[in-house]
Amino acid sequence: MTVTKWLPKYRLNQVKHIAPLATFRVAFGIMMLASIIRFWANGWIAKQYIDPDFYFPYLGFEWIQSWGEPGMYILFALMGIAAIGIALGAFYRWSATLFFVSFTYVELIDKTNYLNHYYFVSIIAFLLILVPAHKAYSLDAWRKKKQEFYVPAWSIHIIILQLTLVYCFAGLAKLQADWLLEALPLKIWLPSRADTPIIGPLLNYKLTAYLFSWFGAFYDLSIPFFLLWKRTRIFAYLTVIVFHFMTAALFQIGMFPYIMVVSTLIFFSEDFHKKLWHKIMPIQKPLLTHSSYFYKPIVLQYFLIIFFGLQILLPFRYALYPGKLFWTEQGYRFSWRVMLMEKVGYTQFTVNLPEKNKAFEVIPSQYLTPVQEKMMNTQPDMILQFAHFLRDQYQSDYNSEVEVFVESYATINGKGSRPFIDPAVNLATVKNSYQHKNWVLPYNQ
């Protein structure tokens, strides 16, 4: 018996109308185009990917570099063209592939800019490469004079599954003492938004922070299931709109709320989307046509099992490391932990040249942007990367052995500053790897 025989085949190959998938394709493409225009208009291309003298690459992806100017603008322009191609269903496979590659490339340049919703966008862009979202209601279908209105169920369900995983892991991450028992960090953040129209005065109350914390956990853990159930779907979607628009108003979290509002439309029924498309692009009596997508090679089934298996396991990889997750941040990224802590740090670097009997106090802002320095101060792997950068710089300048030590402090959720990195460890000799970082001092209560 093969593993795939366990799968309920009707769910994989069941005939589904393409309308929900086409709606998702168009909405995703438009949102991505809007994001790129917003990014460009705010000058963030230069600020984040051209101006910095130093970047913090992901381990194993050091070969990914900024293209500089005008290269980064060209890359974003290609990304925008690809987003238009996705929305219109024009040269769809090429557009989806180009968008996934270009977007993911940009995100891998500097981990300073990591956001969960960027990770989400990369995953969805990758899944769109696999699904036949362009077989109808698209320029590709118009060019080929052939509309295929039916797709296999898996092509819709994998996107619903991915959205469900995002919400559920975000909810599970909130089931911890700081969030539930102390309403942190919302108790810190909400009073600073007391000037918000209408609800502003309420944000000064601790009770409001507790209500937001508990509702946020309940919302994340339950909303995909309420969206799946026909009887609660409308109410659930109205809750999605209110919840995400409120988070957009209170916090600076970019396009994520709007992306989730349009993405969750895929939970609606075929009839809902068919009526929507009929108003936009009325096409009479589509015939039921089976396409080759209904019978995918066995390799695709195994691939999807492995893909979603990794999606389920990755958020739990922090359990492989000792210590407090929010302190060491080993296994923190790519785990859908959204806005769970207020972490602030300070790091002073000292470079020693023992052979020349010299020592230098390094000011990070000489090499890093304010955002890079802020993020580095709270993330051990970035502190190590910057230490290695200094080692290489001083070795090159002085042709001498180099030692790099740091004096570092950090605080989580306003609970007092604590020593962060072991000041006795020469970081110039520490290898950057996925092994436990035993040079991060324990978090003492």
Side-chain angles (χ1 to χ4, degrees), residues 82-296:
I84 294 171
I86 291 173
L88 297 178
F91 306 98
Y92 170 75
R93 298 285 186 191
W94 287 105
S95 296
T97 303
L98 176 61
F99 183 84
F100 166 72
V101 172
S102 57
F103 187 91
T104 305
Y105 184 96
V106 169
E107 295 317 309
L108 289 174
I109 290 174
D110 192 346
K111 67 178 69 167
T112 300
N113 306 313
Y114 172 81
L115 289 174
N116 279 288
H117 87 260
Y118 290 159
Y119 176 42
F120 172 76
V121 167
S122 279
I123 290 175
I124 292 298
F126 177 73
L127 293 178
L128 283 179
I129 298 173
L130 304 179
V131 302
H134 61 308
K135 290 296 182 179
Y137 309 118
S138 69
L139 282 182
D140 283 349
W142 177 78
R143 283 192 305 113
K144 296 177 182 177
K145 296 180 172 52
K146 181 182 181 184
Q147 304 267 358
E148 294 185 38
F149 290 96
Y150 296 92
V151 295
W154 66 264
S155 60
I156 298 173
H157 290 166
I158 59 173
I159 294 173
I160 291 176
L161 175 57
Q162 184 59 54
L163 285 163
T164 301
L165 290 175
V166 171
Y167 276 119
C168 287
F169 277 115
L172 288 173
K174 291 181 173 66
L175 302 182
Q176 39 98 5
D178 273 12
W179 185 270
L180 295 177
L181 303 183
E182 300 186 59
L184 290 170
L186 292 183
K187 203 162 57 179
I188 299 172
W189 292 341
L190 290 182
S192 67
R193 304 309 308 269
D195 59 344
T196 303
I198 303 175
I199 65 169
L202 297 175
L203 303 181
N204 276 318
Y205 293 101
K206 290 183 181 178
L207 178 60
T208 305
Y210 277 97
L211 289 174
F212 276 37
S213 296
W214 280 77
F215 177 76
F218 175 76
Y219 170 87
D220 283 339
L221 287 170
S222 62
I223 197 66
F225 306 104
F226 285 131
L227 285 168
L228 283 168
W229 192 19
K230 183 179 178 181
R231 291 185 177 182
T232 56
R233 187 173 296 139
I234 291 295
F235 176 76
Y237 190 69
L238 291 174
T239 307
V240 167
I241 294 173
V242 172
F243 178 85
H244 284 298
F245 274 77
M246 183 174 289
T247 57
L250 293 177
F251 308 111
Q252 294 182 349
I253 48 179
M255 297 291 290
F256 180 70
Y258 312 112
I259 292 171
M260 295 307 280
V261 167
V262 299
S263 295
T264 46
L265 282 171
I266 200 170
F267 283 86
F268 279 79
S269 68
E270 287 182 8
D271 287 342
F272 170 86
H273 290 280
K274 284 161 66 176
K275 290 176 182 175
L276 183 66
W277 277 106
H278 185 70
K279 291 180 180 177
I280 301 171
M281 192 182 294
I283 300 173
Q284 299 299 321
K285 296 181 180 180
L287 298 174
L288 177 65
T289 56
H290 289 266
S291 76
S292 58
Y293 292 102
F294 283 61
Y295 305 101
K296 278 293 176 187

Side-chain angles (χ1 to χ4, degrees), residues 22-38:
T23 305
F24 184 87
R25 186 201 79 223
V26 173
F28 182 80
I30 291 173
M31 293 305 295
M32 293 304 100
L33 179 62
S35 299
I36 293 164
I37 292 172
R38 174 175 174 266

Side-chain angles (χ1 to χ4, degrees), residues 52-91:
D53 297 319
F54 172 76
Y55 297 96
F56 294 93
Y58 289 85
L59 185 60
F61 293 91
E62 292 83 357
W63 53 275
I64 290 183
Q65 302 286 323
S66 166
W67 288 7
E69 189 177 10
M72 290 305 301
Y73 287 104
I74 293 172
L75 188 55
F76 272 82
L78 291 173
M79 200 188 304
I81 292 170
I84 294 171
I86 291 173
L88 297 178
F91 306 98

